[in-house]
Amino acid sequence: MKIILTNWINIVCVFVAVFLYSVIYGLTNDDGVSRNFLQAILASIILIALYGIILWIGFIVVLVALDLLLIVLNQKHLMLKLVIEWFIISSPFIYCAIIYEQQRWIYLVTVAAFLISQLLRQNLIIKVIG
């Protein structure tokens, strides 16, 4: 159970990375709409929390399921299992980055943030089980 609770780092890292990207994009996007900082933050929160709720639910469910299958029972080869988990979960985001040219960067930021959080999570898991 303690290993599954280490998923907070994935959720926070991905949320923060996508939020920061969205705010910066909202402020610098040259779509003819002038936005101030508060509007960019509010739009980012709405994008992530409301529009992305289905993605968040799927992300968390698959993350917990893969943890149960790969990591909880046997922590041997932890780094390899975390990379496999990253690849499986990131595959739909990589596909979307290829297909949806307009939103390509938000998907790539998500994939990169998730990889970084998995690497950070390895140390957290080692502390929890050690």
Side-chain angles (χ1 to χ4, degrees):
M1 184 63 177
K2 289 182 181 181
I3 292 174
I4 292 174
L5 293 177
T6 62
N7 282 318
W8 70 266
I9 198 164
N10 290 328
I11 296 165
V12 169
C13 281
V14 170
F15 182 88
V16 168
V18 172
F19 176 76
L20 290 175
Y21 171 79
S22 181
V23 169
I24 292 168
Y25 181 79
L27 291 172
T28 60
N29 186 19
D30 190 25
D31 61 356
V33 177
S34 177
R35 292 182 184 90
N36 63 31
F37 190 68
L38 185 60
Q39 288 172 326
I41 288 176
L42 185 59
S44 298
I45 291 171
I46 290 171
L47 170 76
I48 296 168
L50 299 178
Y51 180 72
I53 192 73
I54 298 299
L55 290 174
W56 281 111
I57 292 170
F59 177 74
I60 293 168
V61 167
V62 173
L63 196 58
V64 169
L66 287 175
D67 278 355
L68 290 171
L69 291 172
L70 296 174
I71 299 172
V72 169
L73 298 176
N74 182 5
Q75 291 84 33
K76 194 174 181 181
H77 306 293
L78 180 61
M79 177 58 111
L80 177 63
K81 290 178 180 180
L82 288 172
V83 170
I84 290 170
E85 189 174 79
W86 167 80
F87 182 74
I88 291 170
I89 294 173
S90 294
S91 295
F93 295 104
I94 294 169
Y95 174 78
C96 289
I98 293 168
I99 297 299
Y100 302 115
E101 191 173 316
Q102 290 290 86
Q103 296 93 8
R104 174 173 294 148
W105 286 104
I106 199 162
Y107 293 115
L108 295 177
V109 165
T110 303
V111 169
F114 183 46
L115 177 61
I116 292 167
S117 69
Q118 284 288 79
L119 298 176
L120 294 172
R121 186 170 170 236
Q122 177 188 8
N123 296 330
L124 196 60
I125 291 172
I126 290 170
K127 286 179 184 176
V128 166
I129 62 175

